Amino acid sequence: MLYTNLKHIESAAQYNKILSENENVMVICGRMGPMCIPVYGIAEELEGEYKHVQFFDMEFDNPESYVIRNLPEVRGFMGIPFTIYYKNGVIVKATSSIQSRDMITAILDKEFGSPNKG
């Protein structure tokens, strides 16, 4: 289990349902390790700003996370977490390893639009 304040995806069926029901989705697939924890923390902070994006995590070692581990977009990734961005169920961006807040917000802004200010 991942000890984050994000919503957890625990099955392939739940993953598919989330993608079919939400326009903008960010899924972080990792462990409670030094490269992953900062990314979860950034996502937790951004969740309040990016109301039009649904943020989730999924445990890398869960057998059900094959739905992310086997994506063609992650082939060749060398580090976790795998962070996948979906627009209407289609992958628009995939990153691996630690990311900074600026790197993540640049992707969110480009793929999903900036949060509404004020």
Side-chain angles (χ1 to χ4, degrees):
M1 170 159 190
L2 296 174
Y3 298 94
T4 75
N5 291 319
L6 298 170
K7 295 173 287 253
H8 308 301
I9 300 174
E10 296 179 11
S11 71
Q14 182 187 11
Y15 163 88
N16 289 321
K17 186 175 191 305
I18 287 164
L19 293 185
S20 70
E21 294 177 353
N22 295 282
E23 181 181 0
N24 303 313
V25 177
M26 176 181 170
V27 179
I28 305 164
C29 185
R31 298 180 177 125
M32 294 309 294
M35 303 298 272
C36 303
I37 292 171
V39 181
Y40 302 136
I42 293 165
E44 289 170 358
E45 291 172 14
L46 295 176
E47 200 168 25
E49 296 173 37
Y50 287 79
K51 303 281 191 205
H52 61 296
V53 178
Q54 298 298 310
F55 295 84
F56 293 91
D57 65 30
M58 190 167 198
E59 189 173 10
F60 191 83
D61 298 308
N62 177 341
E64 294 286 305
S65 71
Y66 74 88
V67 292
I68 291 179
R69 291 191 319 263
N70 294 344
L71 292 169
E73 291 83 357
V74 305
R75 198 170 296 127
F77 280 5
M78 301 298 282
I80 57 174
F82 293 176
T83 305
I84 317 295
Y85 302 83
Y86 300 88
K87 179 87 171 175
N88 296 315
V90 176
I91 296 172
V92 293
K93 183 76 175 172
T95 63
S96 73
S97 198
I98 195 166
Q99 301 277 301
S100 70
R101 181 183 170 97
D102 288 345
M103 294 163 83
I104 293 169
T105 57
I107 295 167
L108 291 171
D109 291 348
K110 177 178 186 280
E111 302 301 341
F112 305 139
S114 301
N116 296 330
K117 301 284 185 192

